[in-house]
Structure formats: C-alpha cells, structure tokens
Amino acid sequence: MEKRKGMGHFLFWCVAPAVILFTIFMIIPTLNVFRMSLFERGAYSTTETFVGLQNFKVLFSDPKFITSMQNTILLIVVVTVVTFAFALVFASILTREKIKGQNFFRIIFYIPNILSIVVIAGIFSAIYKPENGMLNSILSMLSGKTVMILWKDQPLVVLSVIIAMVWQAIGYYMVMYMASMAAVPMSLYESSGLDGAGRLTQFFQITIPLIWTNIRTTLTFFIISTINMAFLFVKSMTAKGMLDVGLSFMYNQKDAGLYGYSMAAGVVIFLFSFLLSAMVNWTTKREPLEF
C-alpha cells in the first residue's frame, strides 16, 4: 500500500510541472481569447467595453474576413490533396522500385522540411522575381522572348503560395509513408500479381488500405497545421493586402487597434479548425486492416 502511494506521489510530481506550464501558457491564454472577443478594446488600451456578440455579428458581415476564410479553405483543400498525392506516389516508388540511392532521395526530399519558413519564402521569392527570377528566365529561354510574369501578384499569388507550401511539406510525409509501406509484406504484392493485379491496382487495393491509419492521422494533423502554415507563407512571401488568410486578417485587425475584433476572428478560426478536425476524423473513419 505504501509502495503504491509512493508511486502515485512520484507520478504526480513528474506530471505536475508539464500540467502547470500547459495551463499557464496554453489554457489560460486560450480562455482569455474567448473572453476578449466579447469586449471592445484597443490594442494598447486598458479600457474594455463589454459588447457581447457584437464583434461576431460584424465579423460575419465583413467581406474581407469572408474572403480570407475562403482563401484559407482553398489553400487547405488544394495543398492537402496535392501534397498527399505526391507524397504517397513518391513513397510507393521509392519503397517498391529498385532505385539506386534511395537514402539520397529521402534526404533530398526531406531537406525542405528542416528549413525555416523565412528561408523557403526567400528561395521562392528569388524564383518568382519578375526581372531575373529563375522561373521567368526559364520561360524566356523556352519562348525565345522576354517573359515578365508577376507571380506574386493577382491572380497568380495563390498558385505561387500553393507551390511553396507543397514543396515544403512533401518530403516529411513521404518519409512517414515510406516507413509504413516498408512494413507491408511483399508476399501480398506477389500473390496479387499472380492473380493479375497491376501496380496501380495493388497501390489502391493493398497499399492504401494497409497504411490507412497512418494516412488518417497525418491528414488530420496536416489540415490543421496548414491553417498556421498558410499565414506564415502569406506573411513571408506576399505584400500586405495582396493575399489574406484567416490568421493574417486577425493579425491585421490587431495592428489596426481593433483588439477585441481581432480576438473574435481568432475564436472563429479556432472553432473552425476544431470542427474541421472532427469532420476529417469522422469522414475517414474505417475498420483497420491487419496483415
């Protein structure tokens, strides 16, 4: 009995510091965001005026906020689909095909993930530079005339950000899927091959179902993290006002001195990410397959 009690005390003191820090730096600030969304307050003022749900009423009728959320949803959908499609295909190729230097390709694909967003934004800003950027230079060489495309202006700015975000994320998820695919027994592919199944059929009927748990977990994580990544890429790569996403709208309202209004936007984005996560988990739920 004394031994069990001593173990309980030991576990309590091991967990207590993490719980205290999490409460101070995560739970309390999050609750304060919800509280501040009900007040009208300037960013540098201590005066607060309770306005109830007025901030939310104004927010949902603000065309800039609606546009920013539409841009966020567009980036989430396109970047997620493209990233996971390429990551799964590259992982399958590097796992199943006998390619020399597989570890080299793993490292090359993974490098963008260890770079900071600022570095990646600088790389793509140089690539997209209208005057002498690499992309326009290649197009000029191929067309035989000077090409001066403004890649970071409307309407191409969304495409430019999508390319940068996909390039940054593919390698990480490719390596994760390679680890899952390596655990799939080769005998399953051999027996299905004897039954006449081609590589494409094997990919969709064997590989995808057997690593579905990993796909589902990473999909939820990636979709939620894309909300934050979209803000970082937009902030680092584009001029102010050229492209707004949900978090950049919130950031701009804070800069304009509308602190309570900014917190209301933060609450909506938080609830949106929570509901999106729950929806993805529900729609991708299926019985796990064993081998």
Side-chain angles (χ1 to χ4, degrees):
M1 187 69 180
E2 290 294 329
K3 184 177 180 181
R4 183 178 298 177
K5 187 176 180 181
M7 180 61 70
H9 282 237
F10 173 74
L11 294 175
F12 171 80
W13 289 112
C14 286
V15 174
V19 173
I20 292 172
L21 290 174
F22 185 78
T23 302
I24 294 174
F25 294 105
M26 291 295 295
I27 295 179
I28 293 177
T30 301
L31 293 176
N32 193 48
V33 169
F34 279 82
R35 184 188 71 84
M36 285 303 305
S37 67
L38 303 176
F39 289 82
E40 183 179 319
R41 173 186 168 183
Y44 306 103
S45 172
T46 57
T47 304
E48 298 178 351
T49 303
F50 182 77
V51 295
L53 299 177
Q54 183 61 33
N55 285 328
F56 293 96
K57 292 179 181 178
V58 176
L59 190 67
F60 286 115
S61 62
D62 190 338
K64 290 185 178 179
F65 176 72
I66 294 173
T67 301
S68 68
M69 290 304 295
Q70 289 173 341
N71 291 335
T72 300
I73 294 171
L74 175 64
L75 289 175
I76 289 174
V77 173
V78 176
V79 172
T80 300
V81 171
V82 175
T83 299
F84 276 66
F86 277 108
L88 285 166
V89 170
F90 291 154
S92 181
I93 293 173
L94 291 176
T95 301
R96 296 202 56 201
E97 302 297 332
K98 294 181 180 180
I99 300 176
K100 292 183 178 180
Q102 287 187 356
N103 290 331
F104 171 76
F105 286 110
R106 289 187 185 186
I107 295 172
I108 292 299
F109 274 99
Y110 193 79
I111 284 177
N113 189 259
I114 64 177
L115 299 177
S116 71
I117 302 301
V118 176
V119 172
I120 295 174
I123 292 172
F124 276 89
S125 293
I127 293 173
Y128 295 143
K129 196 173 181 180
E131 300 84 7
N132 53 6
M134 185 181 73
L135 191 53
N136 279 347
S137 297
I138 292 175
L139 293 176
S140 298
M141 181 179 64
L142 294 176
S143 63
K145 59 182 180 180
T146 303
V147 175
M148 189 74 70
I149 299 176
L150 302 177
W151 293 98
K152 295 200 296 180
D153 284 349
Q154 297 292 354
L156 296 175
V157 62
V158 176
L159 176 62
S160 300
V161 172
I162 286 173
I163 292 173
M165 292 179 67
V166 170
W167 184 80
Q168 185 268 342
I170 283 179
Y172 175 78
Y173 293 95
M174 183 197 75
V175 171
M176 291 192 68
Y177 295 146
M178 287 181 70
S180 297
M181 292 177 185
V184 178
M186 290 302 298
S187 58
L188 295 177
Y189 296 113
E190 293 170 357
S191 60
S192 64
L194 293 175
D195 291 335
R199 288 299 180 94
L200 194 61
T201 302
Q202 292 174 353
F203 178 75
F204 285 105
Q205 298 296 327
I206 298 177
T207 304
I208 296 297
L210 289 178
I211 67 169
W212 184 254
T213 301
N214 190 10
I215 294 175
R216 182 172 176 243
T217 303
T218 53
L219 181 64
T220 304
F221 171 76
F222 181 75
I223 288 175
I224 302 308
S225 65
T226 301
I227 297 175
N228 181 54
M229 297 297 292
F231 165 69
L232 296 175
F233 273 98
V234 167
K235 189 70 176 176
S236 302
M237 286 184 60
T238 65
K240 186 174 181 180
M242 186 56 63
L243 177 65
D244 272 338
V245 291
L247 289 177
S248 64
F249 174 87
M250 182 186 75
Y251 193 91
N252 293 336
Q253 300 311 305
K254 185 270 297 180
D255 283 350
L258 303 174
Y259 196 73
Y261 190 58
S262 174
M263 293 301 99
V267 169
V268 173
I269 296 168
F270 173 82
L271 294 177
F272 169 76
S273 63
F274 180 81
L275 292 174
L276 182 62
S277 175
M279 185 179 70
V280 170
N281 269 295
W282 179 73
T283 54
T284 58
K285 187 176 181 180
R286 63 172 65 176
E287 289 295 326
L289 298 178
E290 297 180 359
F291 51 86

